[in-house]
Amino acid sequence: MIHQFLAPNTNLRTDEWGGSVEGRARFAVEVAAAVSAAIGARRTGMRLSPGTPYNGTHEPDAEPVSTHLVRRLDDLGLAYLHLVEGSRDLTDVLRKEFHGTFILNPAAPATPGFTGEDTLSLVEDGTADMLSFGALFLANPDLPARLRAGGPYNTPDRATYYGGDDKGYTDYPTL
Ligand SMILES: Cc1cc2nc3c(=O)[nH]c(=O)nc-3n(C[C@H](O)[C@H](O)[C@H](O)COP(=O)(O)O)c2cc1C
């Protein structure tokens, strides 16, 4: 819902909750402020996917919208920003704007198609404070231990994604 407010092809409002960069970001800022007021900003984080076309969103101005939003989230002192990477350039821009913990779900290379251990250097070179893994963590319930050991890894099976039962979610073996 927050993303729907941010994207101009899904937010068709003509009041102060739509239109301009500030208007489309308003809902996200208000949600973060309300949650922070209820439980504390240091217990609140937000995950953003600027410029990613999930479920048909189209964001030609993802950079100004997400930059404005991240500045406001930084003002609130949120514990973390978790970014699903659209482009590395935008990642670098938003990294500079946010002073809390910066978690990155890096753009996956075409092969193998999901975030892998090759991205660990992004913490060492300062691109992010922490990395998140989606598919690789599904397939490897003991992923931290495997990363520490340098593998081996079970390969995620796309055919089991979004399947509606536990297959592909809780049945991969540990080392
Ligand atoms: C089966 C599956 C379910 C997912 N469900 C969600 C979800 O509910 N919410 C979300 O923000 N991202 C979801 N994602 C996206 C992941 O969090 C992640 O951003 C994406 O898979 C790319 O990262 P990866 O290459 O590490 O997998 C899902 C991904 C997969 C494979």
Side-chain angles (χ1 to χ4, degrees):
M1 187 171 174
I2 289 174
H3 202 147
Q4 288 178 357
F5 268 84
L6 297 173
N9 70 324
T10 47
N11 184 341
L12 304 179
R13 300 180 69 113
T14 55
D15 59 10
E16 71 269 33
W17 300 91
S20 66
V21 165
E22 293 78 11
R24 277 179 283 139
R26 185 183 308 277
F27 183 70
V29 176
E30 295 284 324
V31 168
V35 174
S36 298
I39 66 168
R42 301 310 302 169
R43 292 201 186 98
T44 305
M46 190 174 277
R47 185 182 211 230
L48 298 174
S49 313
T52 59
Y54 295 134
N55 295 315
T57 50
H58 180 57
E59 299 171 278
D61 60 353
E63 178 164 340
V65 172
S66 55
T67 302
H68 168 79
L69 171 55
V70 167
R71 284 184 182 145
R72 299 289 79 77
L73 299 179
D74 194 54
D75 292 342
L76 289 168
L78 291 201
Y80 69 82
L81 176 67
H82 182 172
L83 190 70
V84 179
E85 186 162 65
S87 72
R88 186 58 46 83
D89 286 349
L90 184 53
T91 296
D92 292 341
V93 168
L94 299 178
R95 165 73 156 154
K96 289 195 187 77
E97 298 292 347
F98 190 75
H99 298 94
T101 299
F102 188 87
I103 306 173
L104 184 65
N105 187 213
T111 312
F114 51 83
T115 303
E117 67 170 337
D118 55 306
T119 60
L120 290 173
S121 62
L122 296 174
V123 170
E124 279 146 31
D125 70 18
T127 304
D129 295 313
M130 302 172 77
L131 300 172
S132 68
F133 297 88
L136 196 64
F137 221 146
L138 272 182
N140 295 277
D142 53 350
L143 184 62
R146 290 178 188 252
L147 289 170
R148 211 176 290 123
Y153 302 96
N154 304 316
T155 304
D157 177 8
R158 273 175 185 276
T160 62
Y161 292 176
Y162 316 111
D165 64 18
D166 58 335
K167 189 167 163 35
Y169 288 91
T170 59
D171 52 0
Y172 285 97
T174 55
L175 277 173

